[in-house]
Amino acid sequence: MGEGEFGERVSTGNAELDSMLEGGLLRGSVTLVTGAPGTGKTCLGLEFICHGATQMDEPGLIVTFEHFPKKLLRDASSLGFDLPEMERKGMLRILFTSPEIFFEQAQAPGGLLDTMVEELGAKRVLIDSISHLERLTRDAVKLREVAFTFVNALLRHGLTVIVTQEDPDITGDVAAAQYGISYLVDAVIILRYVELDSAIGRAILVLKQRASSHDKRIREFRIAAGGLKIGEPFADREGVLSGLPRKREVDAFVEVFGRKGKS
Ligand SMILES: Nc1ncnc2c1ncn2[C@@H]1O[C@H](COP(=O)(O)OP(=O)(O)OP(=O)(O)O)[C@@H](O)[C@H]1O
Ligand SMILES: [Mg+2]
């Protein structure tokens, strides 16, 4: 990826998402991907890591706190990503660990994170998901400190990082995504379920990107082999992030009564 107006860009592996981000993620930045369970956070992260490992000669590290390693491999395989093959080629390492161990190791210079990043020559990292850090403490102030230390540890190596976070709200106002670590990161991407004409769809929005402009429009997407298939912006809807978008009054009016001159 080329040099953008605000620094070098790293492709997410998804051309539409890159264009929403005005060229991609900033190299050496941390991006938070937040959304309800099943919205596609892991899928987006895998696309980013696998694109680096297979297309860009950028080794990737996946750190997961999930309990079932097989699930990650199965999910990746259903998207068409062969993680074991990437591991064999030395382009990927997957670290299944606990938040306690990882947090301790991430802080220590020469610890597990440093060693893995150096051995692999990692350029990209996926942390899936940071919500598990909440297990470390119930104290909100302490949790902020933990998150701060954690993000800084990741940035020490100039890595480009995607961190996922579970958003307990299935749908809801965008303000709900503003809590947690979003103030610490360089960019925030929100995934949401939306009800569209009585069916459940998905929506994606780049909420913020530090030191750069970005597409402010909410776009529809679906998940299929290869990753996120991002479609058109919700041009004729309002309130998409509430989960229950309404057609704009004028569009609804036109739909019911037809355009002037048309029957
Ligand atoms: N190959 C595929 N084709 C179509 N849909 C798929 C495919 N692979 C995964 N999905 C869909 O992707 C969704 C899961 O996405 P993903 O695991 O990325 O969500 P998540 O936000 O990480 O969820 P969680 O919070 O539970 O980890 C599932 O609902 C599944 O239907
Ligand atoms: Mg997931």
Side-chain angles (χ1 to χ4, degrees), residues 2-102:
E3 232 7 77
E5 193 184 341
F6 300 96
E8 192 190 346
R9 298 301 176 125
V10 179
S11 172
T12 60
N14 187 303
E16 286 75 24
L17 182 54
D18 285 349
S19 86
M20 291 174 81
L21 292 159
E22 304 277 326
L25 304 177
L26 289 163
R27 188 173 292 286
S29 72
V30 177
T31 297
L32 178 69
V33 176
T34 171
T39 42
K41 302 179 296 293
T42 301
C43 181
L44 190 158
L46 284 172
E47 202 175 346
F48 166 69
I49 291 292
C50 296
H51 174 256
T54 62
Q55 317 280 316
M56 305 302 290
D57 202 23
E58 293 198 348
L61 173 65
I62 299 175
V63 179
T64 173
F65 308 120
E66 304 289 348
H67 301 294
F68 306 106
K70 278 201 182 126
K71 182 177 181 297
L72 180 71
L73 299 182
R74 209 175 45 226
D75 289 352
S77 156
S78 95
L79 294 167
F81 301 131
D82 188 348
L83 300 186
E85 173 69 5
M86 291 173 214
E87 278 189 299
R88 272 194 296 276
K89 288 187 169 159
M91 296 304 287
L92 173 73
R93 288 279 292 273
I94 307 174
L95 178 62
F96 296 99
T97 182
S98 72
E100 290 82 359
I101 292 174
F102 187 67

Side-chain angles (χ1 to χ4, degrees), residues 11 45 48 65-66 68 77 130 139 142 171 175 206 223 240 258 260 263:
S11 172
F48 166 69
F65 308 120
E66 304 289 348
F68 306 106
S77 156
I130 200 163
D139 182 83
K142 191 95 179 50
T171 58
V206 176
I223 300 172
V240 171
K260 214 177 167 190
S263 57

